[in-house]
Short mmCIF file of all heavy atoms in Angstrom, two decimals:
data_model
loop_
_atom_site.label_atom_id
_atom_site.label_comp_id
_atom_site.label_asym_id
_atom_site.label_seq_id
_atom_site.Cartn_x
_atom_site.Cartn_y
_atom_site.Cartn_z
N PRO P 298 16.78 -83.36 47.42
CA PRO P 298 16.63 -83.39 48.89
C PRO P 298 15.33 -82.86 49.30
O PRO P 298 14.77 -81.94 48.69
CB PRO P 298 17.77 -82.45 49.31
CG PRO P 298 18.72 -82.36 48.20
CD PRO P 298 17.94 -82.61 46.92
N GLU P 299 14.75 -83.48 50.34
CA GLU P 299 13.38 -83.10 50.81
C GLU P 299 13.35 -81.94 51.76
O GLU P 299 12.31 -81.62 52.29
CB GLU P 299 12.74 -84.34 51.37
CG GLU P 299 12.48 -85.41 50.36
CD GLU P 299 11.70 -86.62 50.90
OE1 GLU P 299 11.11 -86.49 51.97
OE2 GLU P 299 11.84 -87.70 50.30
N ASP P 300 14.49 -81.32 52.06
CA ASP P 300 14.57 -80.24 53.02
C ASP P 300 14.08 -78.91 52.41
O ASP P 300 13.90 -77.92 53.19
CB ASP P 300 15.93 -80.09 53.58
CG ASP P 300 16.99 -79.74 52.53
OD1 ASP P 300 16.83 -80.05 51.40
OD2 ASP P 300 18.00 -79.15 52.95
N LYS P 301 13.81 -78.87 51.13
CA LYS P 301 13.36 -77.63 50.45
C LYS P 301 12.21 -78.02 49.53
O LYS P 301 12.07 -79.12 49.08
CB LYS P 301 14.53 -76.98 49.70
CG LYS P 301 15.61 -76.39 50.58
CD LYS P 301 16.69 -75.68 49.76
CE LYS P 301 17.68 -74.99 50.60
NZ LYS P 301 18.70 -75.82 51.15
N ARG P 302 11.50 -76.95 49.13
CA ARG P 302 10.37 -77.10 48.14
C ARG P 302 10.97 -76.70 46.80
O ARG P 302 11.54 -75.63 46.69
CB ARG P 302 9.21 -76.27 48.53
CG ARG P 302 8.02 -76.48 47.70
CD ARG P 302 6.80 -75.75 48.25
NE ARG P 302 5.96 -75.33 47.17
CZ ARG P 302 5.18 -74.32 47.15
NH1 ARG P 302 5.15 -73.55 48.19
NH2 ARG P 302 4.42 -74.05 46.13
N TYR P 303 10.77 -77.49 45.77
CA TYR P 303 11.34 -77.22 44.47
C TYR P 303 10.25 -77.27 43.41
O TYR P 303 9.12 -77.81 43.59
CB TYR P 303 12.35 -78.31 44.03
CG TYR P 303 13.54 -78.44 44.88
CD1 TYR P 303 13.57 -79.39 45.96
CD2 TYR P 303 14.70 -77.66 44.67
CE1 TYR P 303 14.73 -79.46 46.73
CE2 TYR P 303 15.82 -77.78 45.47
CZ TYR P 303 15.81 -78.72 46.54
OH TYR P 303 16.91 -78.84 47.27
N GLU P 304 10.51 -76.64 42.27
CA GLU P 304 9.78 -76.83 41.04
C GLU P 304 10.83 -77.14 39.98
O GLU P 304 12.04 -76.74 40.10
CB GLU P 304 8.97 -75.61 40.63
CG GLU P 304 7.79 -75.34 41.54
CD GLU P 304 6.92 -74.21 41.10
OE1 GLU P 304 7.43 -73.15 40.70
OE2 GLU P 304 5.72 -74.38 41.08
N LEU P 305 10.44 -77.86 38.95
CA LEU P 305 11.32 -78.17 37.81
C LEU P 305 10.75 -77.34 36.58
O LEU P 305 9.65 -77.66 36.13
CB LEU P 305 11.24 -79.67 37.54
CG LEU P 305 12.18 -80.17 36.46
CD1 LEU P 305 13.67 -79.90 36.77
CD2 LEU P 305 11.95 -81.70 36.30
N LEU P 306 11.49 -76.39 36.20
CA LEU P 306 11.07 -75.46 35.09
C LEU P 306 12.04 -75.55 33.95
O LEU P 306 13.20 -75.09 34.06
CB LEU P 306 11.00 -74.04 35.65
CG LEU P 306 10.04 -73.81 36.83
CD1 LEU P 306 10.13 -72.39 37.39
CD2 LEU P 306 8.65 -74.22 36.51
N ASP P 307 11.55 -76.10 32.85
CA ASP P 307 12.36 -76.35 31.68
C ASP P 307 13.73 -77.04 31.99
O ASP P 307 14.81 -76.62 31.49
CB ASP P 307 12.66 -75.04 30.97
CG ASP P 307 13.21 -75.21 29.59
OD1 ASP P 307 12.95 -76.26 28.95
OD2 ASP P 307 13.89 -74.30 29.06
N GLY P 308 13.67 -78.01 32.93
CA GLY P 308 14.86 -78.71 33.34
C GLY P 308 15.72 -78.10 34.34
O GLY P 308 16.75 -78.69 34.77
N ASP P 309 15.39 -76.91 34.85
CA ASP P 309 16.10 -76.26 35.91
C ASP P 309 15.37 -76.54 37.27
O ASP P 309 14.16 -76.32 37.38
CB ASP P 309 16.15 -74.76 35.71
CG ASP P 309 17.00 -74.32 34.53
OD1 ASP P 309 17.97 -75.07 34.27
OD2 ASP P 309 16.75 -73.30 33.89
N LEU P 310 16.11 -76.99 38.23
CA LEU P 310 15.58 -77.24 39.55
C LEU P 310 15.60 -75.95 40.31
O LEU P 310 16.65 -75.34 40.58
CB LEU P 310 16.49 -78.29 40.23
CG LEU P 310 15.84 -78.98 41.43
CD1 LEU P 310 14.51 -79.66 41.15
CD2 LEU P 310 16.85 -79.95 42.01
N VAL P 311 14.39 -75.41 40.64
CA VAL P 311 14.25 -74.09 41.21
C VAL P 311 13.72 -74.27 42.68
O VAL P 311 12.68 -74.83 42.85
CB VAL P 311 13.24 -73.22 40.36
CG1 VAL P 311 13.08 -71.88 41.01
CG2 VAL P 311 13.78 -73.11 38.93
N VAL P 312 14.45 -73.63 43.59
CA VAL P 312 14.00 -73.62 44.99
C VAL P 312 12.84 -72.61 45.13
O VAL P 312 12.97 -71.45 44.65
CB VAL P 312 15.11 -73.24 45.98
CG1 VAL P 312 14.60 -73.15 47.40
CG2 VAL P 312 16.20 -74.30 45.91
N VAL P 313 11.77 -73.00 45.73
CA VAL P 313 10.60 -72.17 45.93
C VAL P 313 10.59 -71.75 47.41
O VAL P 313 10.37 -72.60 48.26
CB VAL P 313 9.30 -72.82 45.52
CG1 VAL P 313 8.09 -71.89 45.76
CG2 VAL P 313 9.33 -73.30 44.10
N PRO P 314 10.80 -70.45 47.70
CA PRO P 314 10.88 -70.08 49.12
C PRO P 314 9.49 -70.12 49.79
O PRO P 314 8.45 -70.05 49.12
CB PRO P 314 11.35 -68.65 49.10
CG PRO P 314 11.04 -68.15 47.71
CD PRO P 314 11.06 -69.37 46.79
N ALA P 315 9.50 -70.20 51.11
CA ALA P 315 8.20 -70.25 51.81
C ALA P 315 7.51 -68.91 51.69
O ALA P 315 8.16 -67.85 51.68
CB ALA P 315 8.46 -70.47 53.33
N PRO P 316 6.21 -68.95 51.45
CA PRO P 316 5.50 -67.65 51.26
C PRO P 316 5.32 -66.89 52.56
O PRO P 316 5.36 -67.42 53.63
CB PRO P 316 4.15 -68.10 50.68
CG PRO P 316 4.00 -69.54 51.05
CD PRO P 316 5.42 -70.10 51.25
N LYS P 317 5.06 -65.56 52.37
CA LYS P 317 4.83 -64.70 53.49
C LYS P 317 3.37 -64.83 54.02
O LYS P 317 2.50 -65.44 53.35
CB LYS P 317 5.09 -63.26 53.17
CG LYS P 317 6.60 -63.01 52.81
CD LYS P 317 6.89 -61.56 52.51
CE LYS P 317 8.31 -61.50 52.04
NZ LYS P 317 9.23 -60.94 52.75
N GLU P 318 3.11 -64.24 55.15
CA GLU P 318 1.77 -64.34 55.81
C GLU P 318 0.67 -63.92 54.90
O GLU P 318 -0.34 -64.53 54.78
CB GLU P 318 1.77 -63.51 57.10
CG GLU P 318 0.51 -63.67 57.91
CD GLU P 318 -0.61 -62.77 57.45
OE1 GLU P 318 -0.40 -61.68 56.84
OE2 GLU P 318 -1.85 -63.16 57.72
N VAL P 319 0.78 -62.73 54.20
CA VAL P 319 -0.29 -62.22 53.37
C VAL P 319 -0.59 -63.21 52.21
O VAL P 319 -1.75 -63.46 51.90
CB VAL P 319 0.02 -60.81 52.81
CG1 VAL P 319 1.23 -60.78 51.87
CG2 VAL P 319 -1.19 -60.23 52.18
N HIS P 320 0.42 -63.80 51.67
CA HIS P 320 0.26 -64.84 50.66
C HIS P 320 -0.63 -66.02 51.19
O HIS P 320 -1.57 -66.39 50.53
CB HIS P 320 1.63 -65.32 50.18
CG HIS P 320 1.63 -66.40 49.13
ND1 HIS P 320 1.32 -67.71 49.44
CD2 HIS P 320 1.90 -66.34 47.85
CE1 HIS P 320 1.37 -68.42 48.35
NE2 HIS P 320 1.73 -67.66 47.31
N GLN P 321 -0.24 -66.52 52.32
CA GLN P 321 -0.92 -67.63 52.94
C GLN P 321 -2.38 -67.27 53.29
O GLN P 321 -3.26 -68.04 53.05
CB GLN P 321 -0.26 -68.17 54.17
CG GLN P 321 1.10 -68.85 53.85
CD GLN P 321 0.85 -70.08 52.94
OE1 GLN P 321 0.81 -70.02 51.70
NE2 GLN P 321 0.69 -71.22 53.60
N ARG P 322 -2.61 -66.11 53.84
CA ARG P 322 -3.90 -65.66 54.26
C ARG P 322 -4.87 -65.55 53.04
O ARG P 322 -5.95 -66.07 53.07
CB ARG P 322 -3.83 -64.35 55.03
CG ARG P 322 -5.20 -63.80 55.44
CD ARG P 322 -5.10 -62.58 56.39
NE ARG P 322 -3.90 -61.74 56.23
CZ ARG P 322 -3.80 -60.74 55.41
NH1 ARG P 322 -4.76 -60.37 54.62
NH2 ARG P 322 -2.69 -60.01 55.39
N VAL P 323 -4.37 -64.87 52.04
CA VAL P 323 -5.14 -64.69 50.77
C VAL P 323 -5.40 -66.04 50.15
O VAL P 323 -6.54 -66.36 49.74
CB VAL P 323 -4.44 -63.70 49.84
CG1 VAL P 323 -5.10 -63.71 48.44
CG2 VAL P 323 -4.45 -62.32 50.42
N LEU P 324 -4.44 -66.90 50.07
CA LEU P 324 -4.60 -68.20 49.49
C LEU P 324 -5.59 -69.03 50.23
O LEU P 324 -6.44 -69.69 49.57
CB LEU P 324 -3.22 -68.96 49.45
CG LEU P 324 -3.27 -70.38 48.84
CD1 LEU P 324 -3.81 -70.41 47.43
CD2 LEU P 324 -1.92 -71.02 48.94
N MET P 325 -5.58 -69.00 51.54
CA MET P 325 -6.50 -69.81 52.34
C MET P 325 -7.96 -69.25 52.13
O MET P 325 -8.89 -70.02 52.00
CB MET P 325 -6.11 -69.76 53.79
CG MET P 325 -4.88 -70.50 54.14
SD MET P 325 -4.87 -72.25 53.53
CE MET P 325 -6.15 -72.93 54.52
N ASN P 326 -8.10 -67.96 52.10
CA ASN P 326 -9.45 -67.37 51.84
C ASN P 326 -9.98 -67.80 50.51
O ASN P 326 -11.16 -68.18 50.37
CB ASN P 326 -9.39 -65.82 52.00
CG ASN P 326 -9.13 -65.38 53.41
OD1 ASN P 326 -9.36 -66.10 54.40
ND2 ASN P 326 -8.67 -64.16 53.52
N LEU P 327 -9.11 -67.69 49.45
CA LEU P 327 -9.55 -68.00 48.15
C LEU P 327 -9.84 -69.53 48.03
O LEU P 327 -10.80 -69.95 47.47
CB LEU P 327 -8.49 -67.59 47.12
CG LEU P 327 -8.83 -67.87 45.65
CD1 LEU P 327 -10.18 -67.21 45.26
CD2 LEU P 327 -7.67 -67.41 44.76
N SER P 328 -8.99 -70.33 48.66
CA SER P 328 -9.13 -71.81 48.60
C SER P 328 -10.47 -72.19 49.19
O SER P 328 -11.20 -73.04 48.67
CB SER P 328 -8.00 -72.44 49.42
OG SER P 328 -6.76 -72.20 48.85
N LEU P 329 -10.82 -71.50 50.32
CA LEU P 329 -12.09 -71.80 50.99
C LEU P 329 -13.25 -71.51 50.08
O LEU P 329 -14.19 -72.33 49.94
CB LEU P 329 -12.21 -71.09 52.29
CG LEU P 329 -13.48 -71.24 53.07
CD1 LEU P 329 -13.66 -72.69 53.50
CD2 LEU P 329 -13.48 -70.39 54.33
N LEU P 330 -13.29 -70.37 49.45
CA LEU P 330 -14.33 -69.96 48.59
C LEU P 330 -14.45 -70.94 47.34
O LEU P 330 -15.59 -71.36 46.99
CB LEU P 330 -14.15 -68.56 48.04
CG LEU P 330 -14.30 -67.45 49.10
CD1 LEU P 330 -13.91 -66.10 48.49
CD2 LEU P 330 -15.68 -67.36 49.68
N ILE P 331 -13.34 -71.22 46.76
CA ILE P 331 -13.38 -72.12 45.57
C ILE P 331 -13.76 -73.52 46.00
O ILE P 331 -14.65 -74.18 45.37
CB ILE P 331 -12.03 -72.11 44.82
CG1 ILE P 331 -11.83 -70.77 44.16
CG2 ILE P 331 -11.95 -73.26 43.80
CD1 ILE P 331 -10.55 -70.62 43.40
N PHE P 332 -13.20 -74.01 47.10
CA PHE P 332 -13.57 -75.37 47.58
C PHE P 332 -15.02 -75.45 47.86
O PHE P 332 -15.68 -76.45 47.47
CB PHE P 332 -12.77 -75.72 48.80
CG PHE P 332 -13.04 -77.10 49.30
CD1 PHE P 332 -12.52 -78.24 48.68
CD2 PHE P 332 -13.85 -77.25 50.45
CE1 PHE P 332 -12.85 -79.49 49.19
CE2 PHE P 332 -14.20 -78.52 50.88
CZ PHE P 332 -13.64 -79.65 50.26
N GLN P 333 -15.61 -74.49 48.54
CA GLN P 333 -17.06 -74.55 48.92
C GLN P 333 -17.85 -74.56 47.57
O GLN P 333 -18.83 -75.32 47.47
CB GLN P 333 -17.44 -73.34 49.74
CG GLN P 333 -16.94 -73.42 51.15
CD GLN P 333 -17.18 -72.14 51.96
OE1 GLN P 333 -17.28 -71.09 51.41
NE2 GLN P 333 -17.34 -72.35 53.24
#
Side-chain angles (χ1 to χ4, degrees):
E299 294 183 20
D300 61 334
K301 292 183 174 79
R302 187 172 148 209
Y303 299 94
E304 289 186 315
L305 184 61
L306 303 175
D307 193 29
D309 291 330
L310 197 58
V311 178
V312 175
V313 180
K317 296 185 188 248
E318 185 277 336
V319 67
H320 179 284
Q321 289 299 88
R322 179 172 27 90
V323 168
L324 178 59
M325 292 306 295
N326 291 339
L327 182 58
S328 298
L329 179 62
L330 292 173
I331 290 177
F332 179 78
Q333 287 174 332

